[in-house]
Amino acid sequence: MTVSSGSAGWYLRRLSRMGPREVGGRVGDAVRRRRWRSVRPDSPGVTGARFTSPLPAGTIAAVPPDAAKRLIAEADRLMAGHVEFFGVVRDDLADPDWWYDPKTGRRAPWGYAFDVPYRDEDAVGDIKQIWELSRHQYLTVLAAAYAATGDERYAERVAEHLRSWWAANAPLRGVHWTSGIELGIRLLSWVWIRRLLDGWPGAAALFEGNPVALNQIWHHQRWLAAFPSRGSSANNHVIAEAAGQFAAACAFGWFPSSARWRADALRSLDRQLRANTFGSGLNRELATEYHGLVLELGLAAVAEADAAGVPVPASVRLVLLRMTDALAAVVDSRLRPPRQGDADDGHGLVVDGSGTDRWASLLTTGEAVFGRLAWWPEVTGTDVRTALLAALVRPYAKDGTAPAVSRPASRPARFADAGMTILRGPGEIWCRCDGGPHGFLSIAAHAHADALSLEVRHDGVDVLADPGTYCYHGQPEWRRYFRSTLGHNTLQLDGADQSVSGGPFLWTRHAATRVLVADTSDASDGGTARWCAEHDGYRPSVHRRRVELTAASRELTVVDEVRGPRRAVRLAFHLGPAIAADLAGNRAVLTWTRDGEDRSAVLDLPGQLSWRAHRGESEPPLGWYSAGFGRKEPATTLVGTGFADGAERFTTVLGFGG
């Protein structure tokens, strides 16, 4: 049975994390929703509407041939009806049921949008499965395939599906009108569909000449103007809402309210990009995939502004520049960023086929828009999206409103405001140390209880892994595990999490962490990199962790110290799915293969603890790795149990083979 977040206790906990201004705003939202139940105006009449921001001539020719080939292969799979969302393969895409969840077999109920209990899987199904199709990002792929080939089959399928969706999802009716992030991303998809279909004879009749489309576009923007994410919920959702609203008001600026919507959305986007981003450039949610989502949304919004000739505050471009430099700084040798916090595979704009690397694509776009720095990692992959965005976005150096900024002269390794430190060593050793805030805003919705956790990779392979996210709604025991302290490479006391959860997207008490030492000297030069931090999540006890990466010995030493009264201890090390472990006593020999070559490491674990290997256990969950949302696979987790009394120290040494 699904545990719903709609209980009285949950609402009280959620209310306790709101300030007076947010409470007032939500009361106003509730009144407006009640009024909208009976008052559903049609969109104002529009005459003479024209789409005026197509792709510049020559844009498609700039798409690398191998990226175009992947795009067409993906489009052909979609045309055949095949798609996979979050580990669920479906073959019904030729004529989809917009409210059907193939994972549970349930179909979302019809009714007034704000009455739909979308968090209740028993009543609705897996909401992520239902929503994902209606973001219409698979239609942007088909539209891009039309732009690349001129094959009208792709355009006709897009038109067929849009007309089907519009007919099945009247404004304010059903599950697709319940969440602002869905409306915002859908609007952005529609803008790009119209742009990519511009050469198709039926494009104008599908959009600006279609009263149904105009009504949908108007109602989407009216909804977003009325119900922005507020206060403790103003995270990546509000960025998506503002970006989608702004893009539509630029590209579809045909309504009496378009100028106001455009100005309001741009103000919100500017304010919220700054609020959601540390000065160092990392996303404040400390959830890497949302860093990628926000960066994609911001770049897409700037593309619309430049295409429409709308001035953008310099602060918008500056935040995106810093986000791009930060991404370039934290990726490992295979361009993989940290696996930190929640991840739901959400994208801002999709025009590429499978096999296209998301992070390489963002860095390629960043190079085109902002210019690469000498220390940036080399990017060898190709993508479609860069050519499309670069054709619209003015390069930063040529933008008259962009201020001259001082960018890092060398690769940053410490992001003090975000509490992230990257230690790098010989043999492509990469280690992320987490000493940052618990999360963003009072509810820290996408945070995990992972203070002082580590990620360690060797040549891009997860050795000590962050297990990931796996799910949001419908499976509470799995949600709890993947965001728990035991579910990360850190130390747990008395079987409790460091921070206290009040629900699947709510933390009622946040552990406070402080970094004491962060010497990020490059260990590959023969020295030793050091990091030390502590947190107060187990008051009155204090957990302090010291990490040293020594080049000469190719060793990572981790010392965990617990100060305080006698407590039960569990120390976990989660191995990546490619790692085989042979545990004997307190020593584990780790082996794996990379590019056909056998690799190895030895993990010497604290002798005061009793060690056991866990793999693929379900009652309770332990020993799992989630490579993407909705997917999980068994992986080995080593757990040491015992006690800490007074000022106990537990020393772990990870030594890599030559």
Side-chain angles (χ1 to χ4, degrees), residues 448-450 453 466-468 482-490 572 574:
H448 290 187
D450 57 357
S453 65
D466 184 301
F482 275 98
R483 68 205 289 257
S484 70
T485 298
L486 184 62
H488 294 83
N489 296 315
T490 188
H574 299 263

Side-chain angles (χ1 to χ4, degrees), residues 148-185:
T149 65
D151 188 335
E152 294 193 358
R153 293 182 306 117
Y154 301 124
E156 289 164 357
R157 176 64 60 84
V158 171
E160 176 188 342
H161 280 205
L162 283 178
R163 291 191 174 104
S164 169
W165 193 93
W166 291 332
N169 293 278
L172 297 178
R173 288 296 177 266
V175 73
H176 295 303
W177 290 88
T178 60
S179 174
I181 187 174
E182 303 305 316
L183 275 74
I185 290 177

Side-chain angles (χ1 to χ4, degrees), residues 245-246 249-250 257-269 310:
Q245 176 85 304
F246 179 70
C250 286
S257 297
S258 290
R260 173 171 58 83
W261 287 337
R262 185 167 55 243
D264 290 348
L266 183 56
R267 278 193 296 271
S268 175
L269 185 67
V310 175

Side-chain angles (χ1 to χ4, degrees), residues 76-96:
D76 288 343
R77 282 191 292 271
L78 295 171
M79 290 291 289
H82 306 307
V83 71
E84 179 181 336
F85 292 137
F86 312 132
V88 176
V89 176
R90 51 192 302 179
D91 298 311
D92 60 344
L93 204 63
D95 183 20

Side-chain angles (χ1 to χ4, degrees), residues 355-504:
T356 302
D357 185 277
R358 175 185 198 172
W359 309 104
S361 171
L362 277 170
L363 291 177
T364 302
T365 302
E367 179 176 353
V369 173
F370 301 117
R372 64 174 286 114
L373 297 174
W375 54 262
W376 273 30
E378 292 296 325
V379 179
T380 57
T382 61
D383 70 314
V384 174
R385 189 175 59 192
T386 289
L388 306 187
L389 290 175
L392 300 178
V393 180
R394 288 196 301 270
Y396 189 84
K398 298 180 181 179
D399 181 73
T401 66
V405 295
S406 176
R407 298 172 69 185
S410 59
R411 190 175 200 171
R414 183 187 180 193
F415 299 82
D417 47 9
M420 183 186 294
T421 301
I422 306 293
L423 308 181
R424 298 177 188 271
E428 308 296 352
I429 299 171
W430 176 99
C431 174
R432 173 181 67 86
C433 303
D434 181 359
H438 174 63
F440 182 48
L441 301 173
S442 62
I443 64 172
H446 291 297
H448 290 187
D450 57 357
L452 309 192
S453 65
L454 302 176
E455 272 188 279
V456 180
R457 299 177 191 161
H458 186 280
D459 195 16
V461 174
D462 291 310
V463 179
L464 301 182
D466 184 301
T469 298
Y470 178 55
C471 66
Y472 281 171
H473 303 285
Q475 297 173 280
E477 71 281 9
W478 291 100
R479 176 65 171 152
R480 282 192 296 269
Y481 169 68
F482 275 98
R483 68 205 289 257
S484 70
T485 298
L486 184 62
H488 294 83
N489 296 315
T490 188
L491 181 144
Q492 182 196 61
L493 294 183
D494 291 344
D497 287 338
Q498 311 149 335
S499 295
V500 177
S501 173

Side-chain angles (χ1 to χ4, degrees), residues 54-140:
L55 287 171
T59 298
I60 298 300
V63 173
D66 57 334
K69 183 178 180 179
R70 291 194 304 273
L71 165 65
I72 301 308
E74 182 75 12
D76 288 343
R77 282 191 292 271
L78 295 171
M79 290 291 289
H82 306 307
V83 71
E84 179 181 336
F85 292 137
F86 312 132
V88 176
V89 176
R90 51 192 302 179
D91 298 311
D92 60 344
L93 204 63
D95 183 20
D97 180 340
W98 303 107
W99 294 14
Y100 175 69
D101 165 30
K103 178 180 170 183
T104 65
R106 297 187 180 97
R107 196 168 185 274
W110 173 257
Y112 182 54
F114 298 117
D115 291 341
V116 176
Y118 67 89
R119 293 186 180 94
D120 187 345
E121 188 169 295
D122 288 345
V124 174
D126 186 328
I127 192 60
K128 288 283 291 178
Q129 288 287 344
I130 297 172
W131 276 345
E132 188 67 17
L133 190 65
S134 290
R135 288 187 172 191
H136 289 169
Q137 292 176 327
Y138 78 97
L139 294 181
T140 57

